[in-house]
């Protein structure tokens, strides 16, 4: 029985550095000498692809190296479940996580790698009064607990990133860089990330994202009309912000859904925006065509092709028409005559104009319309409408300033997500993204899931002492209101709450002056103030399982045994297992495992300190292995 300790990979979040080295070993095994990388050999193998110039194009700042390393440093924290703070704990697929988003992103690396379809974040804009605290390279969990008042502070204070600090852009870049880098790992190949930003940092944000995602994966920089009122106390009233978007792997071909690629478009493992629904109001049927409403499109297309350049005679007037300069007709002449005979060519409303093609709504509705990059306030909401939404939920008083409107996020959801896609927001603020996910699910009937992460930043309010408290209450109220207003809607409006904390596994910290006492103290490998549920969910994180995966529990031989993922993981966290209890417990687990019949290999985990002695542990392991359960571990 292997024991999981704080030194094992299972006790930490995903180790990206080790994974990168292992991939390099597969590609270039010859560059490794005695376990170290020989960069001279690597240079030779890379040849001209290696850039050794002293002056290079790119964005650099003080602390960038540490920011990159920070993203690669595993977390030793965990997420502790809070069922009492949640809604529909047993059934919901949504998450609300309280904690420092840098550490939470690290902890999600195993369970949610390549699973998220859309990430939306609204980070601090670096306007001079943002809540800023330094990330601790050595122990950010302790740093986080101090700064949120959960353990005694060491005197360090939260600060505002003011321009006078001399680190106006540097602090902000060091904050966003590791978070965006970690977030990219969570995206599916066909996933996309949207970041709200203003003019102050948009240029640097674009450079950071070019480096992390690659310039070829830039999707859009969408101007959003965030306000319609005019600010009269300045020389130019700014009414816009931006949504900067990068794909994990942006599609280079077949971006537009057409009849010619309809059979493969949805199957391609790369990102392309979904077309928007056709606006049926633009179609009419003035000639009572039996094929239904239609609209007239130009019959010419860009460029000049000889086989598509010919004279078309208007049958009503006898006038001869040629394609406009620099263009050609859409089809060859033979096909044109087929369309004319099929009543698909018209010559204007009066019949006296150039040829136009009739495009029928029923034939085009499955291919939709191409969205545009201008998000006006009337169509996509403004900060004012976002505030109004909060006022409607909180009895006329908004507990949060400058919230994004749900209509803005709903537009992104419609553009990039479908049924059961996961949506992540790790600067959750007041919870607009979760509200929008529920709202859009009501509109189109899909079953998207949301993951929100928000620092429990103090607000100074008695009713909602932290921003995360505001977000939780908003989601509760929004879900209830959507259910009441749409009685036929049966979708998910719940959420599981988790809170960031230090690991349940005790770190080995020997007292060299009193080693015997240290050994006795560490006989129990798990922290004594943690519950079975705390330990169970840390196992899910460290083993790469979804935090909303089904969990079933069953009493066996007087002990509680948990089945996770229909039997792929069986866990018994009983604190005492005697020699007499070993056989009935082991055989009961074998019987339940047979009933569950999981598809893959099953892991079985026990509390190491529970066994009366090594004989009990050895016998239990032997019985399980005899019945095919060979992956037995203790924690």
């Amino acid at each position: 029985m292997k024991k999981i300790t704080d030194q094992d990979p299972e006790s930490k979040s995903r180790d990206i550095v080790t994974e990168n080295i292992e991939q390099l070993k597969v590609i270039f095994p010859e560059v490794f000498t005695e376990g170290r990388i020989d960069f001279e050999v690597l240079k030779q193998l890379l040849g001209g692809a290696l850039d050794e110039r002293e002056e290079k194009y790119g964005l650099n700042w003080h602390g960038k190296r540490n920011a990159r390393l920070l993203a690669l440093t595993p977390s030793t924290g965990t997420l502790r479940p809070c069922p009492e703070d949640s809604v529909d704990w047993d059934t919901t697929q949504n998450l609300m996580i309280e904690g420092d988003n840098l550490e939470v992103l690290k902890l999600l690396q195993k369970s949610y790698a390549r699973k998220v379809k859309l990430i939306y974040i609204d980070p601090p804009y670096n306007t001079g009064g943002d809540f800023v605290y330094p990330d601790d390279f050595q122990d950010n969990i302790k740093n986080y607990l101090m700064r949120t008042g959960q353990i005694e502070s060491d005197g360090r204070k939260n600060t505002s990133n003011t321009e006078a600090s001399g680190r106006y852009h540097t602090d902000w870049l060091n904050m966003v860089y590791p978070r965006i880098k970690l977030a990219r790992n969570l995206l599916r190949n066909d996933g996309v990330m949207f970041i709200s930003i203003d003019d102050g940092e948009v240029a640097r944000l674009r450079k950071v994202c070019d480096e992390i995602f690659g310039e070829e994966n830039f999707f859009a920089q969408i101007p959003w009309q965030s306000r319609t009122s005019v600010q009269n106390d300045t020389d130019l009233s700014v009414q816009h912000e931006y949504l900067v978007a990068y794909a994990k792997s942006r599609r280079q071909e077949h971006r537009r859904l057409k009849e010619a690629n309809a059979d493969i478009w949805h199957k391609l493992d790369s990102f392309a925006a979904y077309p928007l629904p056709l606006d049926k109001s633009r179609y009419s049927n003035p000639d009572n065509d039996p094929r239904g409403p239609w609209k007239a499109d130009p019959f010419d297309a860009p460029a000049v092709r000889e086989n598509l350049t010919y004279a078309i005679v208007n049958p009503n007037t006898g006038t001869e028409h040629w394609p406009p300069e620099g263009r050609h007709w859409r089809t060859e002449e033979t096909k044109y005559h087929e369309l004319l005979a099929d009543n698909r060519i018209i010559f204007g409303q009066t019949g006296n104009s150039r040829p136009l093609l009739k495009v029928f709504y029923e034939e085009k509705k499955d291919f939709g319309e191409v969205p545009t990059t201008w998000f006006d306030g009337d169509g996509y909401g403004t900060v004012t409408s976002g505030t109004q939404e909060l006022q409607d939920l909180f009895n006329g008083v908004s507990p949060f300033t400058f919230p994004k409107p749900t209509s803005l996020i709903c537009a992104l959801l419609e553009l990039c997500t479908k049924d059961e896609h996961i949506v992540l927001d790790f600067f959750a603020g007041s919870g607009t993204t979760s509200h929008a996910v529920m709202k859009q699910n009501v509109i189109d009937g899909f079953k998207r899931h949301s993951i929100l992460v928000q620092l429990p930043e103090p607000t100074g309010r008695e009713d909602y002492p932290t921003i995360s408290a505001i977000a939780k209450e908003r989601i509760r109220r929004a879900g209830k209101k959507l259910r009441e207003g749409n009685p036929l809607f049966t979708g998910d409006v719940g959420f599981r709450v988790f809170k960031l904390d230090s690991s349940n596994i005790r770190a080995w910290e020997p007292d060299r002056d009193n080693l015997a006492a240290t050994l006795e103290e560490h006989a129990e490998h798990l922290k004594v103030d943690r519950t079975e549920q705390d330990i169970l969910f840390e196992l899910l994180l460290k083993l790469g399982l979804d935090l909303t995966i089904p969990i079933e529990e069953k009493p066996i031989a007087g002990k509680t045994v948990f089945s996770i993922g229909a039997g792929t993981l069986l866990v018994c966290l009983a604190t005492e297992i005697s020699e007499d209890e070993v056989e009935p417990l082991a055989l009961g687990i074998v019987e339940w495992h047979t009933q569950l019949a999981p598809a893959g290999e099953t892991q079985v985990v026990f509390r190491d300190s529970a066994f009366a002695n090594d004989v009990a542990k050895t016998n239990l392991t032997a019985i399980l292995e005899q019945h095919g359960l060979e992956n037995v571990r203790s924690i």
Side-chain angles (χ1 to χ4, degrees):
M1 182 184 294
K2 179 184 175 183
K3 183 176 179 180
I4 301 173
T5 72
D6 68 297
Q7 301 303 311
D8 291 310
E10 290 90 344
S11 71
K12 299 180 177 65
S13 62
R14 180 181 171 196
D15 190 339
I16 300 173
V17 172
T18 300
E19 291 180 14
N20 291 339
I21 292 173
E22 291 304 316
Q23 291 180 36
L24 193 61
K25 283 181 180 178
V26 173
I27 302 171
F28 300 119
E30 59 268 54
V31 308
F32 287 86
T33 304
E34 297 182 342
R36 313 293 290 180
I37 298 174
D38 188 329
F39 280 96
E40 290 303 320
V41 176
L42 183 59
K43 289 178 183 179
Q44 295 169 18
L45 292 173
L46 293 174
L50 191 65
D51 190 349
E52 296 188 90
R53 295 173 299 171
E54 291 185 7
E55 297 180 341
K56 303 173 184 178
Y57 176 78
L59 177 64
N60 285 292
W61 65 90
H62 179 69
K64 182 178 182 181
R65 183 189 301 273
N66 280 344
R68 186 184 287 116
L69 290 173
L70 195 59
L72 298 172
T73 306
S75 174
T76 56
T78 190
L79 299 177
R80 299 180 67 180
C82 303
E84 70 284 353
D85 217 10
S86 307
V87 175
D88 300 333
W89 173 271
D90 291 331
T91 58
T92 185
Q93 297 290 300
N94 302 316
L95 300 177
M96 171 66 201
I97 303 172
E98 293 187 52
D100 171 10
N101 53 22
L102 178 66
E103 293 305 304
V104 173
L105 286 170
K106 291 179 182 181
L107 291 170
L108 297 180
Q109 291 294 303
K110 287 183 180 180
S111 296
Y112 292 92
R114 297 176 294 278
K115 291 183 180 179
V116 177
K117 185 63 167 68
L118 171 67
I119 298 175
Y120 168 76
I121 59 170
D122 184 14
Y125 282 8
N126 204 11
T127 56
D130 303 320
F131 181 82
V132 173
Y133 59 90
D135 293 314
D136 191 320
F137 189 79
Q138 297 299 320
D139 188 355
N140 205 44
I141 295 291
K142 183 178 179 182
N143 179 59
Y144 157 72
L145 294 173
M146 284 180 178
R147 294 185 180 282
T148 53
Q150 298 180 59
I151 61 175
E152 188 175 347
S153 174
D154 63 353
R156 288 178 292 180
K157 296 180 179 180
N158 301 319
T159 61
S160 293
N161 186 23
T162 62
E163 192 167 7
S165 72
R167 298 184 297 274
Y168 188 56
H169 300 301
T170 297
D171 289 346
W172 187 84
L173 288 166
N174 285 329
M175 184 272 292
V176 299
Y177 185 91
R179 289 162 172 83
I180 295 175
K181 193 167 182 64
L182 285 165
R184 181 188 177 277
N185 297 334
L186 301 180
L187 284 174
R188 298 160 34 139
N189 278 351
D190 62 348
V192 64
M193 182 173 187
F194 285 86
I195 306 171
S196 281
I197 200 67
D198 66 1
D199 284 309
E201 292 292 355
V202 66
R204 279 158 288 278
L205 177 64
R206 285 284 302 272
K207 293 296 183 190
V208 165
C209 290
D210 281 346
E211 178 177 322
I212 294 173
F213 287 89
E215 292 182 56
E216 70 278 8
N217 290 311
F218 171 71
F219 171 51
Q221 181 172 311
I222 301 171
W224 166 54
Q225 189 180 16
S226 56
R227 60 185 295 172
T228 54
S229 60
V230 176
Q231 185 179 1
N232 288 314
D233 59 349
T234 184
D235 58 341
L236 186 66
S237 181
V238 177
Q239 293 188 322
H240 72 281
E241 295 177 15
Y242 299 102
L243 289 161
V244 172
Y246 281 77
K248 177 74 168 287
S249 176
R250 192 176 184 203
R251 194 170 300 178
Q252 300 304 310
E253 297 180 330
H254 300 296
R255 287 181 178 172
R256 178 74 165 102
L257 176 61
K258 303 176 182 178
E259 292 179 66
N261 63 19
D263 58 334
I264 64 168
W265 196 88
H266 291 281
K267 300 176 184 177
L268 295 174
D269 192 24
S270 53
F271 172 76
Y274 295 117
L276 297 179
L278 285 183
D279 183 359
K280 196 171 184 179
S281 66
R282 294 166 51 198
Y283 292 76
S284 61
N285 196 359
D287 60 350
N288 294 316
D289 193 303
R291 290 164 289 197
W294 54 270
K295 68 182 182 72
D297 278 0
F299 192 62
D300 51 81
V304 176
R305 291 174 55 184
E306 187 175 348
N307 63 323
L308 300 178
T309 302
Y310 50 87
I312 290 180
V313 178
N314 185 324
N316 304 313
T317 64
T319 304
E320 187 176 81
H321 295 282
W322 289 84
E325 185 176 351
R327 298 176 72 85
H328 57 246
W329 300 126
R330 285 192 180 194
T331 69
E332 294 182 339
E333 189 169 7
T334 301
K335 180 64 176 178
Y336 160 75
H337 286 293
E338 292 176 5
L339 294 171
L340 182 65
D342 193 30
N343 189 28
R344 288 176 180 265
I345 300 294
I346 64 169
F347 292 86
Q349 293 183 352
T350 63
N352 299 327
S353 302
R354 299 177 59 78
L356 298 168
L357 178 67
K358 291 172 72 173
V359 177
F360 292 92
Y361 175 80
E362 287 299 321
E363 295 176 352
K364 294 296 181 181
K365 66 179 182 180
D366 291 339
F367 308 104
E369 295 182 352
V370 176
T372 68
T373 58
W374 169 240
F375 282 19
D376 64 273
D378 290 336
Y380 297 88
T382 62
V383 171
T384 299
S385 57
T387 301
Q388 182 63 53
E389 286 181 307
L390 276 181
Q391 290 173 341
D392 291 343
L393 289 173
F394 286 87
N395 304 317
V397 179
S398 174
F400 190 84
T401 56
F402 307 115
K404 294 295 186 290
T406 56
S407 51
L408 177 68
I409 312 304
C410 283
L412 306 183
L413 297 173
E414 184 180 30
L415 195 65
C416 304
T417 64
K418 295 289 184 185
D419 203 14
E420 297 199 53
H421 282 161
I422 297 175
V423 179
L424 168 65
D425 182 349
F426 54 89
F427 283 96
S430 68
T432 300
T433 297
S434 181
H435 187 174
V437 166
M438 295 187 293
K439 181 178 175 181
Q440 191 62 31
N441 285 345
V442 171
I443 293 171
D444 56 27
F446 290 137
K447 297 178 181 179
R448 304 171 184 86
H449 313 311
S450 64
I451 301 175
L452 265 59
V453 184
Q454 176 55 45
L455 184 78
E457 180 182 340
T459 62
R461 300 173 59 112
E462 292 186 6
D463 48 357
Y464 305 111
T466 64
I467 292 179
S468 54
I470 295 173
K472 287 184 291 185
E473 183 61 21
R474 182 207 182 139
I475 302 168
R476 293 187 191 103
R477 296 188 182 202
K480 182 180 179 182
K481 185 174 182 179
L482 285 168
R483 276 276 173 82
E484 292 173 349
N486 303 274
L488 298 179
F489 176 66
T490 58
D492 188 356
V493 296
F495 57 96
R496 283 186 173 185
V497 175
F498 290 85
K499 295 185 179 182
L500 178 67
D501 207 332
S502 57
S503 174
N504 300 294
I505 303 174
R506 301 181 68 178
W508 172 246
E509 297 175 345
D511 181 354
R512 301 188 184 280
D513 296 330
N514 195 352
L515 193 57
T518 301
L519 289 170
E520 182 178 351
E521 181 184 352
H522 282 267
E524 170 55 76
H525 193 52
L526 301 172
K527 293 179 179 176
V528 295
D529 62 336
R530 302 300 170 92
T531 66
E532 284 191 351
Q533 204 170 39
D534 289 336
I535 300 164
L536 192 62
F537 277 96
E538 180 160 4
L539 278 172
L540 300 191
L541 279 174
K542 303 304 168 63
L543 296 175
L545 298 175
D546 194 313
L547 289 174
T548 59
I549 195 170
I551 299 176
E552 187 179 354
E553 62 180 84
K554 183 177 182 177
I556 299 177
K559 313 297 181 186
T560 300
V561 180
F562 299 93
S563 166
I564 294 104
T568 56
L569 175 64
L570 297 172
V571 182
C572 177
L573 296 172
T575 56
E576 295 182 358
I577 301 175
S578 67
E579 286 189 56
D580 293 338
E581 293 171 322
V582 163
E583 185 173 358
L585 176 60
L587 292 177
I589 289 174
V590 169
E591 181 182 358
W592 194 24
H593 176 258
T594 303
Q595 295 170 0
L596 294 168
E601 182 186 14
T602 294
Q603 295 188 69
V604 188
V605 179
F606 296 91
R607 185 191 294 260
D608 189 75
S609 62
F611 294 97
N613 49 48
D614 288 342
V615 173
K617 185 192 302 185
T618 302
N619 288 344
L620 185 142
T621 303
I623 296 172
L624 292 176
E625 289 180 347
Q626 287 171 8
H627 292 82
L629 293 173
E630 298 180 353
N631 193 353
V632 185
R633 318 174 91 170
S634 65
I635 187 171

